[in-house]
Amino acid sequence: MLKAQNLGRRFGDAWALRDLDLHVAPGEIQCLLGANGAGKTTTMNLFLGFLEPSCGVALVDGKEVARDPHAARAQLAYVPEQVSLYPTLSGLENLAYFTQLAGKSGSDPQRLEMLLDRVELPRSAVRLRVERYSKGMRQKVGLAIALAKDARALLLDEPLSGLDPHAANEFCALLRKLAGAGVAVLMATHDLFRAREIASRIGIMRSGRLLDNLVNDGISSSELERIYLDRMRDSAVA
Amino acid sequence: MIGAIARKELVVLRRDGRVIALLSLLGALVLLALLTAWTTHVEHEQQVRQAQAEDSAAFERQGNKPSHSAAHFGRMAYKPPAPLAVFDPGVSPYLGQVIWLEAHRQDPAMFRPAEDAPELGRLADLSVAGVLTSLLPLLIFVMGYGAFAAERERGTLRQVMTAGVRQGAVFAGKLLAVAGMGVCVVSVVLTVATAAAVIVGEGHSAVDTIARGTGELIGYAAYACACAGVALLVSAVARTATSALLILLTVWAAGVVVVPRVAASAGQGLHRTPDANTFWSSTSDAIRAARPKRGSDALRDVERQVVSRAIGRELSSDEAMPASLNRAALGQEISEVLGAQVYAETYAALYATYDRQRDTRRVAAILSPTIALSHWSAALAGTDLAAHRHFTLAAEQQRQQLLRRINEDMMVNGAGQGYDYLAAAGFWRTVPDFAYSSPPVSFAVRAARIDLLLLLAWTGLVVAAAWHVARRQTAI
């Protein structure tokens, strides 16, 4: 569903991402771990068509993103680290608006409220203006927007940041359900333990390169942490 | 999709306190201006009606009186206020409303051109058109400055594009909301103003007034769309919402205040209006120069023409002048005929200067649509220089007719009496009153069609430029 072939992006002389080969099939959850500047967000932006690749291709459902970003985005839902919403609209109004933009029926408030229930946004907050929301509440609305789109692939950029442990747990459970329903998930995160908990594969990125892409077949938390720290130490030495 | 974007924009604008505050201010100023204009208009119309009646009564009550004294006594031609002056008084307050119809001289209502009043001058005058012309762009800029810049800063543009919306649709939705809001404001104001004009415009065709109001609506709607295009263009180009707002405030000051003022000064500087002394002395010189020599064929031709009209039949070329004519009156009428030709030429030259000044301003309209709108608005309201000239030409025709009647009466009935001839007391009632009909809307459209075309060109180009830029911008 999501495929990167020799994908790279350069800003001036510096490569933000290079030689990325990646394939996320329907039903898989691919996590990308790495420090800031590792190239995770650049990867997301290349799949979303917000950046043009300097080399290689990003494909969504076989379609080259750079050639037709609009068609690629139609297949994707995206939850950024900082979910951007209209502050003077309520959570429900934001959800209705973005659902309409995605070409789905936005006029059924019951369905939308059910989606907000599903992401556990407190009922009392549904009709409050978003300017009064906490970061976690915004993340939940962002996820509801992604769910409402019924997309075949989900891109998540640090989605757990700012969520309390209970909400993060619920969030991961929801991701597993989505993957079970055949959605391909690509998630950038700093959270090794959540990654180990939900990912089918865990990629470790450093300085724009994907150094490892581990199959999560029972890897322990401590082993993952050791590999990750080794890789980051190499980075510090380098 | 476009509708959903436009609806969302309108909800966000409705909840934006700044927009509501600005709308309320604009509404209050429009209401105040309209009430002031209404009161002034009603008073003015009453004064015109009363003065016309008094002038008519005074003229008819002259009794037995020397004709030439009556010709110097003259009459007054009052310009009836245009109904849509309640919306846009244009240049009429600066030009005067009354022309004295007297012997030997075509008086102007006033010489000083006032069309170069800067836009803030018009706002200070508090006309509805002035308030709209000055504050509508400000309202639209406040509504539109964040359309792309704020969304880009906040990250919502990225969210919108991730939803799968094309940039073209985002632009169209935002334009629909911002321009639509401006057009709504303009529609409400012009509907109220046109209704007021129909009510106060007693004696004027309601159909003509409504047609003029519709023309105004087209002009102001185009202006609103042009302003919306500018706002979206700047918002798409600017790095931040704050810089977009600052750029737009600069554009507002330049487009609404500075450029119209500079254009007016440039027009006046390049094509100087003669001062009153120069005008009158050069006109007197021209009248003297145009008078044919005594005994010349040219003078004989004019004399024959004047006499033929007075006796009601064509005088053949070999026929002698009738002896039973008052020679003093004949001389007066010949002077009037010759003078009228010179006045026609000197006033045409004066108005040609005004036209060249207007053309200079039109060139400057490339930099500011406010200039084109001001011209179009005053033309449609019937308060521009072209409408004023229409009135002065009608008044001049009345003056010539009045003097011809007086002189011919003296010529035919006062043989041998010279200037001692007394016109009969009943004669004055036979001279028709001045009945002025203002020109139809088609006259106004013809006079200002270039300004409308400039306005539409401005709108088309700026919206196309904004669309071009907005389609190519990225979300990050």
Side-chain angles (χ1 to χ4, degrees):
Chain A
M1 185 67 204
L2 298 173
K3 205 168 186 179
Q5 291 175 338
N6 191 34
L7 187 63
R9 169 71 196 201
R10 195 170 54 188
F11 294 100
D13 292 335
W15 285 91
L17 183 74
R18 65 194 307 177
D19 305 331
L20 178 70
D21 288 298
L22 195 72
H23 181 218
V24 187
E28 280 188 343
I29 299 178
Q30 166 80 59
C31 281
L32 296 176
L33 293 173
N36 290 335
K40 305 188 296 290
T41 302
T42 302
T43 305
M44 297 285 170
N45 283 331
L46 286 163
F47 273 112
L48 286 164
F50 291 143
L51 289 176
E52 288 203 11
S54 304
C55 62
V57 287
L59 300 159
V60 175
D61 199 20
K63 295 183 188 78
E64 195 179 331
V65 179
R67 281 181 192 274
D68 190 355
H70 181 74
R73 285 178 203 144
Q75 306 286 332
L76 296 172
Y78 170 62
V79 182
E81 182 183 1
Q82 299 276 353
V83 173
S84 306
L85 300 169
Y86 296 99
T88 54
L89 300 185
S90 69
L92 186 63
E93 287 170 331
N94 268 289
L95 175 59
Y97 176 57
F98 285 111
T99 308
Q100 271 185 302
L101 294 190
K104 309 286 175 187
S105 165
S107 58
D108 181 4
Q110 268 191 328
R111 176 179 171 258
L112 299 178
E113 283 188 36
M114 273 171 58
L115 279 170
L116 291 172
D117 276 348
R118 200 172 157 196
V119 296
E120 300 202 333
L121 184 76
R123 287 236 159 183
S124 58
V126 166
R127 287 186 163 76
L128 283 183
R129 288 190 185 186
V130 163
E131 61 198 0
R132 298 175 63 182
Y133 281 20
S134 66
K135 186 183 176 192
M137 287 159 84
R138 285 166 184 258
Q139 293 296 108
K140 286 173 179 173
V141 176
L143 186 63
I145 290 168
L147 293 177
K149 196 173 175 184
D150 290 329
R152 297 177 61 201
L154 189 55
L155 302 183
L156 304 149
D157 194 357
E158 310 283 3
L160 304 174
S161 142
L163 292 189
D164 60 64
H166 175 71
N169 200 38
E170 292 292 331
F171 189 91
C172 290
L174 195 59
L175 283 186
R176 274 196 294 265
K177 266 192 219 169
L178 289 171
V183 175
V185 179
L186 176 63
M187 180 167 99
T189 181
H190 289 297
D191 192 334
L192 272 65
F193 304 103
R194 292 289 178 196
R196 194 197 66 81
E197 194 185 317
I198 61 167
S200 317
R201 265 184 298 200
I202 303 166
I204 298 175
M205 297 186 77
R206 192 194 75 201
S207 304
R209 286 182 186 275
L210 181 64
L211 302 177
D212 285 308
N213 200 5
L214 309 167
V215 177
N216 186 8
D217 53 358
I219 188 169
S220 68
S221 296
S222 53
E223 195 179 351
L224 177 61
E225 191 176 15
R226 183 187 57 75
I227 296 170
Y228 180 77
L229 289 174
D230 281 351
R231 288 306 196 181
M232 293 304 113
R233 199 173 298 122
D234 293 346
S235 161
V237 171
Chain B
M1 183 83 72
I2 293 169
I5 295 168
R7 269 195 303 278
K8 187 278 295 175
E9 291 290 325
L10 290 173
V11 171
V12 170
L13 289 175
R14 205 182 63 216
R15 291 178 187 175
D16 185 340
R18 292 165 302 179
V19 173
I20 298 298
L22 206 51
L23 258 176
S24 308
L25 173 70
L26 196 141
L29 284 174
V30 162
L31 205 61
L32 187 63
L34 193 59
L35 287 173
T36 310
W38 174 292
T39 313
T40 310
H41 192 284
V42 169
E43 275 176 14
H44 183 190
E45 203 157 48
Q46 276 174 354
Q47 284 168 358
V48 166
R49 214 174 294 139
Q50 194 181 340
Q52 264 172 343
E54 283 172 8
D55 178 67
S56 180
F59 189 76
E60 288 176 10
R61 276 202 308 265
Q62 290 182 101
N64 294 335
K65 185 174 181 179
S67 291
H68 197 62
S69 299
H72 276 289
F73 178 68
R75 291 202 67 174
M76 296 293 177
Y78 294 93
K79 185 180 175 186
L84 267 169
V86 295
F87 173 72
D88 188 350
V91 295
S92 47
Y94 305 92
L95 292 175
Q97 308 295 320
V98 186
I99 296 178
W100 183 19
L101 311 178
E102 61 166 333
H104 313 314
R105 185 175 152 115
Q106 181 185 347
D107 288 305
M110 200 171 165
F111 271 122
R112 187 169 58 86
E115 202 181 33
D116 58 354
E119 295 313 307
L120 276 186
R122 300 185 66 198
L123 182 59
D125 289 343
L126 207 66
S127 71
V128 181
V131 171
L132 266 192
T133 310
S134 304
L135 293 188
L136 186 67
L138 202 57
L139 173 72
I140 289 174
F141 289 172
V142 168
M143 288 194 295
Y145 79 93
F148 290 107
E151 289 231 23
R152 205 182 307 112
E153 268 187 299
R154 205 167 39 217
T156 40
L157 188 60
R158 183 187 172 99
Q159 193 80 27
V160 166
M161 284 164 71
T162 306
V165 185
R166 291 183 190 276
Q167 286 101 319
V170 176
F171 172 78
K174 287 175 182 293
L175 181 70
L176 190 64
V178 178
M181 191 81 168
V183 172
C184 275
V185 169
V186 162
S187 304
V188 170
V189 171
L190 270 159
T191 303
V192 174
T194 306
V198 169
I199 294 167
V200 298
E202 213 179 300
H204 289 268
S205 156
V207 174
D208 185 73
T209 304
I210 291 167
R212 285 171 180 274
T214 309
E216 294 279 19
L217 180 58
I218 292 168
Y220 279 87
Y223 186 59
C225 293
C227 292
V230 171
L232 295 191
L233 176 64
V234 171
S235 186
V237 170
R239 282 184 177 276
T240 63
T242 310
S243 54
L245 184 59
L246 286 174
I247 294 169
L248 285 169
L249 287 176
T250 310
V251 168
W252 176 79
V256 174
V257 184
V258 180
V259 175
R261 175 69 264 182
V262 170
S265 299
Q268 174 72 287
L270 290 172
H271 310 287
R272 285 235 160 262
T273 311
D275 61 73
N277 286 340
T278 311
F279 179 81
W280 284 117
S281 64
S282 64
T283 303
S284 301
D285 292 346
I287 287 172
R288 269 195 298 277
R291 189 171 180 89
K293 287 204 170 70
R294 207 178 279 271
S296 68
D297 287 347
L299 189 60
R300 262 198 296 276
D301 284 349
V302 178
E303 194 178 51
R304 196 166 293 280
Q305 180 195 333
V306 167
V307 171
S308 296
R309 278 199 317 215
I311 62 176
R313 67 175 178 81
E314 195 66 36
L315 212 60
S316 63
S317 55
D318 53 352
E319 196 177 347
M321 287 286 161
S324 58
L325 284 180
N326 184 317
R327 303 297 297 182
L330 176 60
Q332 289 302 327
E333 183 56 16
I334 288 169
S335 293
E336 291 299 340
V337 169
L338 292 170
Q341 286 169 359
V342 175
Y343 278 119
E345 286 164 15
T346 51
Y347 272 98
L350 182 67
Y351 275 95
T353 306
Y354 294 151
D355 287 346
R356 283 193 291 274
Q357 291 175 356
R358 181 205 55 207
D359 292 343
T360 306
R361 291 195 301 274
R362 274 181 179 157
V363 171
I366 293 167
L367 297 174
S368 167
T370 306
I371 296 171
L373 178 71
S374 300
H375 287 176
W376 173 256
S377 178
L380 266 287
T383 55
D384 65 340
L385 213 55
H388 183 73
R389 189 178 187 190
H390 185 273
F391 166 72
T392 60
L393 288 174
E396 173 57 11
Q397 277 186 351
Q398 175 72 7
R399 187 185 77 88
Q400 290 171 21
Q401 197 185 354
L402 168 71
L403 294 169
R404 188 180 141 196
R405 292 289 297 269
I406 292 173
N407 288 333
E408 286 179 354
D409 173 68
M410 186 175 163
M411 244 188 285
V412 173
N413 302 316
Q417 297 178 52
Y419 287 107
D420 296 333
Y421 170 71
L422 298 179
F427 167 74
W428 311 112
R429 273 194 298 276
T430 67
V431 179
D433 285 338
F434 177 51
Y436 176 66
S437 298
S438 43
V441 63
S442 55
F443 172 88
V445 172
R446 261 198 312 278
R449 62 187 185 280
I450 293 173
D451 299 295
L452 180 66
L453 287 176
L454 276 169
L455 202 51
L456 294 176
W458 239 99
T459 308
L461 286 173
V462 80
V463 168
W467 184 72
H468 180 80
V469 171
R471 276 185 66 224
R472 275 154 186 77
Q473 68 170 336
T474 55
I476 55 175

